[in-house]
Amino acid sequence: MIVGIAAIVAWQLTVTLGRIAPFILPAPSAIWDELVEQRRNVWEAALASGANALIGLIGGAIAGVLLAMVASRFRPVAEISIPFAAVISALPIIALAPILNNMFESTSSIPRRLVAAIIVFFPVFLNTLRGLREVDPIHQELMHTYAASGWTFARKVRLPGALPYVFTGLRQASSLAVIAAVVAEYFGGLQTGLGSRITSAAAFTAYPRAWAFVVGACLLGLVFYLTTLLLERLAMPWRTRLIA
């Protein structure tokens, strides 16, 4: 925290003393003033971007977990899906967003949500698949002794054992969902989110206002990440007790 405060003070002094032009990097005080003045607009834009990121996060996470469960049971599916998922993860948002925007109406939020879902899918799928494959041999032999079905084995053993890996993927994906939703807004569509507000403010050379919306995007990503941590603790309270 001390390092962060020192960095902000150094930033303020550097801009104030004229070492950096305000139109290149505004002073923290100017950004704060704009953040206070634009707080209602920042809040409304954060709600719009947050809704797109949340829907994309949920959709991408569900798709990743379901495909990972199928791939963990059928090796041919895993051999096909892993390279396919890697290709999807390599798609840049700046190339994906314009294509999806052209496929839907300009007033639709579906492209932003699809971009977020696609970006979220890979880390959730990969981490979940890794967790589903790391089954304790004793548990596996016990379930075979009980003649448990494949679904029972997955529900009782594989999925609970993979929860730490699932939430590792979700922690990575939570911030990525916000980034994807905000960046996707740079390429047209509804002008209600943080990304469109950033580009609009920058176009009118209102750089402190643009940075105020950037701060809003950072706070939104932090909220998503902390919420994921809270859900992890609620879903796996025994891990918290073990760590303590």
Side-chain angles (χ1 to χ4, degrees), residues 18-40:
R19 299 295 182 181
I20 299 179
F23 65 88
I24 297 178
L25 183 64
S29 58
I31 298 172
W32 173 257
D33 292 340
E34 283 291 335
L35 186 61
V36 172
E37 183 179 345
Q38 299 289 329
R39 60 186 180 276
R40 183 177 180 84

Side-chain angles (χ1 to χ4, degrees), residues 116-129:
I118 290 170
I119 298 301
V120 162
F121 171 80
F122 181 71
V124 175
F125 167 74
L126 202 62
N127 282 281
T128 303
L129 181 59

Side-chain angles (χ1 to χ4, degrees), residues 17-186:
L17 296 175
R19 299 295 182 181
I20 299 179
F23 65 88
I24 297 178
L25 183 64
S29 58
I31 298 172
W32 173 257
D33 292 340
E34 283 291 335
L35 186 61
V36 172
E37 183 179 345
Q38 299 289 329
R39 60 186 180 276
R40 183 177 180 84
N41 291 331
V42 172
W43 171 256
E44 292 175 352
L47 288 179
S49 297
N52 293 332
L54 180 60
I55 293 173
L57 176 62
I58 294 173
I62 291 174
V65 171
L66 291 178
L67 184 59
M69 292 182 68
V70 175
S72 67
R73 288 204 61 193
F74 304 102
R75 184 173 295 274
V77 176
E79 292 176 353
I80 296 172
S81 59
I82 291 177
F84 179 72
V87 170
I88 291 178
S89 70
L91 291 174
I93 300 175
I94 59 174
L96 189 61
I99 295 174
L100 291 176
N101 278 331
N102 291 331
M103 294 172 61
F104 296 90
E105 296 180 357
S106 60
T107 57
S108 175
S109 296
I110 294 177
R112 287 104 181 255
R113 296 169 182 179
L114 284 176
V115 170
I118 290 170
I119 298 301
V120 162
F121 171 80
F122 181 71
V124 175
F125 167 74
L126 202 62
N127 282 281
T128 303
L129 181 59
R130 180 183 176 188
L132 290 171
R133 285 176 167 176
E134 294 190 6
V135 180
D136 192 324
I138 296 177
H139 294 163
Q140 190 168 358
E141 292 177 7
L142 182 63
M143 295 303 287
H144 284 319
T145 303
Y146 291 147
S149 64
W151 167 245
T152 302
F153 182 62
R155 183 167 54 90
K156 296 288 187 180
V157 177
R158 285 186 182 274
L159 197 54
L163 278 180
Y165 296 89
V166 174
F167 277 101
T168 297
L170 286 175
R171 285 199 306 270
Q172 298 171 2
S174 60
S175 300
L176 290 175
V178 175
I179 294 172
V182 172
V183 173
E185 293 168 352
Y186 292 167

